[in-house]
């Protein structure tokens, strides 16, 4: 296993960090908690290029540059008149572009080496090629998939798997790949909360909708049942390992513990390793002070796979 991390993944927002529950500096906290482990950390050389993003986002990127209102709305914070677009770009959008680069780097490396690659950031599963929402501006998996196809590392017929265990349904990925029969989605999500689009929920190949209040044993049992449906015919797998499933998280509605999250990731990665599917893990959501500890615990639990 290799960890993908860049100090600029962290959102250095000053007092503005109190406007959103997301712990923007949790990535550095994870690295600190992993100090005792002998795990290789690799860094994206730089953020994804504007050209690459434009190819994927098309009209959306033009709108994004022209209107910081759209960005505020997508980040779920009130519009602040004195905050410039340059501030948003440097403090939030640049870290997100670096996260996209991390997901692409992870995919390229796992396809060539077979190593499990763990991008601490990324997993922006509410963004699509036509929309940004839910604290997700760029769809890193969609952009990575496009580049892998363009670079010849994936063919048109290669099957790709997205396992989404963030507490929220991955509507952006479902929309982005709505017409691609070779991209399959396994989504374990809280059916009682945002986003509630039937169109994107129906796109999921292996849906695991759960009710609010689900605890670890039931969650892990339902996940395990879904994993058993998978076959060893995927060229690549992405995991969106959101920690908003934690009981202390105010946005997820589930009641998992840090230990449950660690067991979840170990269960998924063990299953994919048995199927010999190259895998890249992405961060996903997580809006509590326990998020960093849960990520670190999961990495430690999976470090010997």
């Amino acid at each position: 296993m290799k960890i993908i991390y860049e100090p600029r993944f962290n959102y250095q927002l000053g007092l503005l960090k109190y406007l959103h529950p997301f712990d923007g500096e949790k990535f550095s906290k994870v690295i600190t908690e992993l100090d005792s482990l002998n795990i290789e950390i690799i860094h994206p050389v730089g953020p994804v290029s504007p050209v690459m993003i434009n190819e994927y986002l098309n009209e959306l990127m033009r709108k994004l540059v022209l209107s910081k209102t759209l960005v505020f709305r997508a980040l779920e914070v009130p519009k602040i008149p004195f905050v410039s677009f340059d501030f948003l770009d440097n403090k939030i959008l640049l870290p997100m572009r670096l996260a996209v680069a991390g997901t692409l780097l992870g995919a390229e490396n796992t396809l060539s080496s077979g190593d499990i690659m763990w991008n601490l950031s990324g997993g922006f599963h509410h963004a699509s090629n036509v929309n940004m929402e839910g604290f997700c501006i760029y769809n890193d998996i969609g952009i990575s998939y496009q580049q892998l196809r363009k670079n010849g590392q994936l063919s048109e017929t290669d099957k790709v798997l997205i396992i989404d265990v963030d507490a929220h349904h991955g509507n952006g990925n479902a929309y982005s790949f709505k017409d691609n029969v070779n991209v399959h989605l396994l989504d374990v999500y809280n059916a009682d909360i945002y986003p509630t689009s039937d169109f994107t929920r129906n796109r999921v190949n292996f849906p695991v909708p759960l009710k609010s209040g689900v605890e670890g044993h039931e969650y892990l049992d339902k996940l395990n049942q879904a994993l058993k449906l998978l076959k060893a015919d995927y060229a690549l797998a992405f995991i969106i390992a959101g920690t908003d499933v934690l009981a202390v998280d105010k946005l997820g509605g589930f009641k998992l513990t840090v230990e449950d999250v660690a067991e979840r990731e170990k269960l998924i990665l063990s299953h994919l390793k048995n199927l010999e599917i190259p895998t890249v893990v992405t961060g996903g959501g997580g809006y509590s002070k326990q998020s960093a500890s849960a990520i670190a615990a999961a990495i430690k639990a999976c470090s010997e796979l």
Side-chain angles (χ1 to χ4, degrees):
M1 177 192 295
K2 296 179 182 178
I3 304 300
I4 299 171
Y5 170 69
E6 222 284 349
R8 288 177 295 169
F9 278 179
N10 297 282
Y11 303 102
Q12 307 288 346
L13 300 178
L15 294 176
L16 294 183
K17 66 183 179 181
Y18 297 109
L19 293 176
H20 197 282
F22 185 81
D23 183 359
E25 299 176 24
K26 68 179 179 181
F27 310 113
S28 61
K29 296 175 184 177
V30 173
I31 293 299
T32 299
E33 292 199 37
L34 295 177
D35 267 349
S36 60
L37 285 186
N38 186 26
I39 299 181
E40 182 178 353
I41 298 175
I42 60 176
H43 307 277
V45 174
V48 291
S49 70
V51 172
M52 186 187 300
I53 292 176
N54 278 332
E55 288 179 355
Y56 181 74
L57 294 178
N58 298 321
E59 184 67 10
L60 177 60
M61 176 52 68
R62 188 185 69 82
K63 292 179 181 177
L64 186 153
V65 172
L66 292 177
S67 175
K68 66 179 180 181
T69 301
L70 291 175
V71 180
F72 276 118
R73 186 182 305 151
L75 296 177
E76 301 178 341
V77 296
K79 184 179 179 181
I80 307 171
F82 62 83
V83 173
S84 67
F85 185 86
D86 284 344
F87 179 90
L88 290 176
D89 190 52
N90 290 327
K91 298 296 186 179
I92 299 178
L93 303 186
L94 175 60
M96 288 184 173
R97 291 195 293 273
L98 283 160
V100 176
T103 298
L104 177 58
L105 176 64
E108 291 172 336
N109 275 263
T110 192
L111 284 171
S112 61
S113 69
D115 293 332
I116 296 170
M117 305 299 297
W118 197 308
N119 181 18
L120 293 186
S121 192
F124 303 133
H125 64 160
H126 297 310
S128 71
N129 57 332
V130 297
N131 192 35
M132 50 184 169
E133 60 180 273
F135 207 77
C136 299
I137 305 298
Y138 314 111
N139 185 300
D140 54 312
I141 292 177
I143 293 171
S144 297
Y145 176 82
Q146 173 185 268
Q147 290 303 306
L148 294 169
R149 285 283 309 278
K150 185 176 181 179
N151 297 340
Q153 291 177 278
L154 287 177
S155 72
E156 183 180 357
T157 57
D158 279 334
K159 289 186 177 180
V160 172
L161 174 67
I162 300 174
I163 298 179
D164 191 337
V165 287
D166 186 288
H168 301 85
H169 159 57
N171 60 324
N173 282 327
Y175 185 88
S176 293
F177 295 107
K178 60 183 172 55
D179 298 319
N180 192 328
V181 297
N182 290 317
V183 177
H184 294 179
L185 291 84
L186 189 162
D187 198 344
V188 185
Y189 61 91
N190 187 337
D192 297 331
I193 62 175
Y194 160 89
T196 58
S197 165
D198 287 336
F199 171 74
T200 56
R201 289 185 178 188
N202 290 338
R203 168 60 182 85
V204 177
N205 304 86
F206 306 100
V208 187
L210 301 172
K211 295 293 185 182
S212 293
V214 163
E215 297 183 353
H217 61 90
E218 180 181 354
Y219 182 103
L220 293 171
D221 179 63
K222 294 291 178 61
L223 169 61
N224 191 40
Q225 291 178 39
L227 290 172
K228 289 178 179 178
L229 300 175
L230 302 177
K231 298 179 180 180
D233 59 352
Y234 294 101
L236 175 64
F238 294 95
I239 300 171
I240 302 167
T243 57
D244 48 4
V245 295
L246 290 166
V248 296
D249 195 291
K250 296 180 180 180
L251 300 183
F254 288 152
K255 293 187 176 181
L256 274 66
T257 65
V258 167
E259 293 74 21
D260 292 329
V261 170
E263 180 62 27
R264 179 189 71 179
E265 266 67 280
K266 188 174 182 179
L267 179 66
I268 297 171
L269 289 175
S270 296
H271 193 83
L272 294 178
K273 184 177 181 180
N274 289 338
L275 295 176
E276 298 183 342
I277 301 172
T279 300
V280 54
V281 183
T282 64
Y287 310 95
S288 73
K289 297 302 181 183
Q290 281 188 3
S291 180
S293 295
I295 297 168
I299 292 173
K300 291 174 183 178
C302 300
S303 60
E304 299 302 321
L305 292 177

